[in-house]
Amino acid sequence: MKLFRALDRGILKLEEFILSYAIILIALMVISKPITRTLLGYTLPFADEVSQISVTVATFMGISYAARKGRHISMSAFYDLSPFKVRKVLSIFIPALTAVILFVLAYYSTLYVLDIKDSGRVTAALQMPMYILYMFIPIGFSLGGVQFLRNMWVNIRDKENVYIGTEALDYNDMEDEKVEETGHL
């Protein structure tokens, strides 16, 4: 069990590192384009590609992080109005279904990445193999699927509470002060 906890902490730190630097790169590239255009009369040729890579990485690697923290997009009108037992069943069923969908998407995106790799395509400015840009898509889907399975397992194991993420209690069961601290309104 210690091995799994250490692995989980390592994945969390890696996700935080990747997401942080992807966001910083996006900001730097977006800010540098008008500055270099104004000062030098041209933009950096690689800025668009670096931004595209960073957005792709942040989007797909962020799936797992959002699921872990309970910050993923959810349509919760029916869920919020439901009694505890219904929310408990939904908190097991929805992550299980989401995990299956993410694993299917990971499979098909892996096939797509392998197809791009076989084609030998490269980016225009950096001349970087295109599959490197797209390899984060199946990785993100897979990590997201694992995280949603963990969310399901946390809800199966804990009979007293409903979790929307492995580290996030359902805000419907929290007191008002705790809800304000989490950012849910």
Side-chain angles (χ1 to χ4, degrees):
M1 213 50 162
K2 287 182 182 182
L3 175 67
F4 286 125
R5 283 195 186 111
L7 181 63
D8 184 49
R9 279 193 303 273
I11 290 172
L12 173 62
K13 292 299 178 194
L14 181 64
E15 287 171 346
E16 289 173 344
F17 177 82
I18 289 171
L19 291 172
S20 299
Y21 283 98
I23 300 300
I24 290 169
L25 268 174
I26 293 167
L28 287 174
M29 291 301 111
V30 169
I31 291 168
S32 70
K33 283 186 71 168
I35 291 172
T36 57
R37 188 178 320 121
T38 302
L39 296 178
L40 304 174
Y42 69 92
T43 61
L44 302 171
F46 59 85
D48 288 332
E49 285 181 12
V50 172
S51 295
Q52 180 185 10
I53 293 165
S54 299
V55 167
T56 303
V57 169
T59 300
F60 291 97
M61 293 301 288
I63 294 170
S64 174
Y65 187 79
R68 175 190 305 267
K69 301 291 184 180
R71 299 292 186 170
H72 47 78
I73 295 172
S74 61
M75 303 299 285
S76 62
F78 172 71
Y79 176 86
D80 289 342
L81 296 172
S82 301
F84 177 82
K85 288 183 179 184
V86 173
R87 282 188 290 119
K88 189 65 174 176
V89 169
L90 289 174
S91 70
I92 294 168
F93 174 73
I94 292 171
L97 181 62
T98 304
V100 168
I101 291 169
L102 287 174
F103 287 133
V104 168
L105 289 171
Y107 172 75
Y108 284 111
S109 61
T110 300
L111 295 178
Y112 181 68
V113 170
L114 292 173
D115 188 48
I116 289 175
K117 184 176 187 270
D118 291 342
S119 75
R121 291 178 22 203
V122 295
T123 61
L126 295 174
Q127 294 297 302
M128 181 179 78
M130 286 289 283
Y131 76 89
I132 293 174
L133 163 64
Y134 294 119
M135 74 180 189
F136 291 98
I137 298 171
I139 293 170
F141 282 144
S142 298
L143 288 174
V146 168
Q147 197 60 50
F148 275 103
L149 286 178
R150 290 185 66 217
N151 292 355
M152 178 193 72
W153 178 249
V154 167
N155 280 299
I156 290 171
R157 195 181 67 217
D158 187 345
K159 306 288 185 214
E160 303 296 318
N161 297 300
V162 175
Y163 290 85
I164 56 174
T166 54
E167 300 176 5
L169 275 172
D170 183 4
Y171 47 87
N172 290 306
D173 297 332
M174 291 182 185
E175 297 172 14
D176 290 337
E177 302 85 37
K178 293 246 187 222
V179 171
E180 289 176 9
E181 288 174 15
T182 64
H184 292 286
L185 299 175

